[in-house]
Amino acid sequence: MAVYTAVSAELLDDFLSGYDVGRLLSAKGIAEGVSNSNFLIETTSARFILTLYERRIDTSQLPWFLGLMEHLADKGLPVPRPIHDRSARMLQQVAGKAACLIEYLPGVSVSQPTPAQARAAGEALARLHVAGADYTAPRANDLGPDWWRATADELGPRLDSIAGGLQGLVADGLAAVADWPADLPRGVIHADLFPDNVLVLGSRVTGLIDFYFACTELYAYDLAVLHAAWAFSADGAMPLPDHEEAIFAGYESVRPLTEPERSAFPLLGQGASLRFLLSRAHDWLHPAEDAMVARKDPLPFARRLAHYARLS
């Protein structure tokens, strides 16, 4: 989450007048993340999140994302439901940007999750995979292997301006994932289930948020993303075995992995590391000057990439 576009109280009042959600009491920008502008909205009836879609999102795909969120919420998952206006529309325009009002869910995102929280996240991810199995409209992974290669080519030697040897590490990683598995179980995945996209109260997951990278992809790749995000120290230098064990235990309590998925996991971990290393490196080298958001260091994912390569 982030704030790229300022929205006045008058504009918010006008926007909310199309909903049965009460009158505006307060609005606060949420200065986290990298892709959208987000505001915590409080009205006389409830709290909501207003999202303005800014970066890395094809707005023509928004009905797919919002439909998925509603589908998962209908299945009983802790996913924020998009709010329909009086004309039954979920998607709007605010300040010239595509926008959606979304249900507010209680809970906090933690920067240093416990093993119990990691287990709960693994279980929640498996529940998402099962619940999304009948959301049948496929959507390609826009940030998959083709994007990794194209982005590495675009950044080229500039990667070494972030850290010496980074271009070579990325090249080795891309060579390792050249034969990306195609025959593992697949379906709808979240693709970005970092701790800041999971809300918890204690060790209970109360919210899964930010579905705007969701796609149809390998389930085990989604688990590798979760593993890369939750099972390492913040700097990526040290694996956390208790968190790793908890993630797998939570996930497999709902959806046991196949043996081919287990065998492919180090390769999938390299792919997950490349995805976030390269997106962060791109943002590092192309900083957005108009957003209240700090750049994210790509090097922790370089260290994760090296770890998964050693496992392979």
Side-chain angles (χ1 to χ4, degrees):
M1 297 181 178
V3 176
Y4 296 88
T5 300
V7 180
S8 68
E10 293 78 12
L11 192 58
L12 286 174
D13 267 328
D14 182 63
F15 168 72
L16 291 173
S17 68
Y19 293 82
D20 292 318
V21 296
R23 293 182 295 104
L24 178 67
L25 293 178
S26 66
K28 180 181 180 182
I30 303 171
E32 297 176 0
V34 295
S35 295
N36 304 315
S37 293
N38 290 273
F39 302 87
L40 174 60
I41 305 294
E42 186 167 4
T43 74
T44 51
S45 67
R47 287 181 170 183
F48 304 92
I49 300 294
L50 171 63
T51 297
L52 276 60
Y53 301 100
E54 306 269 5
R55 306 176 67 203
R56 289 204 184 105
I57 292 180
D58 177 355
T59 55
S60 68
Q61 296 292 310
L62 284 172
W64 190 93
F65 297 128
L66 299 177
L68 173 62
M69 292 165 65
E70 191 164 55
H71 175 87
L72 295 174
D74 286 344
K75 293 274 188 170
L77 269 70
V79 172
R81 189 182 299 275
I83 306 300
H84 294 254
D85 70 4
R86 294 193 184 97
S87 299
R89 296 175 301 181
M90 291 187 286
L91 195 58
Q92 307 286 346
Q93 287 276 324
V94 175
K97 304 290 177 65
C100 184
L101 192 67
I102 300 169
E103 179 186 17
Y104 172 85
L105 295 179
V108 297
S109 57
V110 294
S111 57
Q112 295 181 315
T114 65
Q117 290 165 340
R119 179 188 172 99
E123 180 180 344
L125 183 66
R127 290 181 59 209
L128 186 159
H129 291 166
V130 172
D134 58 349
Y135 191 71
T136 54
R139 180 181 179 274
N141 181 5
D142 294 337
L143 299 181
D146 290 343
W147 183 87
W148 307 340
R149 287 187 286 270
T151 303
D153 287 344
E154 176 200 340
L155 299 179
R158 288 183 292 164
L159 287 166
D160 284 345
S161 71
I162 300 174
L166 187 57
Q167 184 183 15
L169 180 68
V170 168
D172 289 345
L174 289 172
V177 302
D179 189 18
W180 191 246
D183 56 352
L184 299 179
R186 69 173 53 235
V188 171
I189 71 167
H190 185 280
D192 192 30
L193 205 59
F194 278 56
D196 58 357
N197 288 329
V198 178
L199 304 178
V200 297
L201 289 173
S203 59
R204 179 171 62 92
V205 171
T206 58
L208 304 173
I209 63 174
D210 201 352
F211 279 79
Y212 305 111
F213 296 115
C215 58
T216 307
E217 185 56 279
L218 306 177
Y219 291 135
Y221 169 72
D222 209 16
L223 183 59
V225 170
L226 181 74
H227 184 275
W230 292 69
F232 291 83
S233 59
D235 63 0
M238 183 175 67
L240 304 175
D242 289 347
H243 290 68
E244 178 179 47
E245 181 179 348
I247 287 166
F248 281 106
Y251 187 89
E252 294 199 274
S253 71
V254 175
R255 181 188 169 269
L257 294 169
T258 66
E259 191 54 42
E261 286 177 311
R262 287 184 173 277
S263 297
F265 199 79
L267 178 66
L268 300 173
Q270 289 180 80
S273 300
L274 281 167
R275 181 265 187 256
F276 291 99
L277 191 168
L278 287 165
S279 61
R280 290 183 175 196
H282 183 277
D283 291 346
W284 192 269
L285 296 169
H286 301 86
E289 297 178 356
D290 56 346
M292 298 190 306
V293 60
R295 296 181 299 177
K296 292 187 176 180
D297 184 358
L299 294 183
F301 279 90
R303 299 179 189 111
R304 288 166 167 87
L305 175 59
H307 170 80
Y308 291 118
R310 288 191 294 271
L311 292 182
S312 295

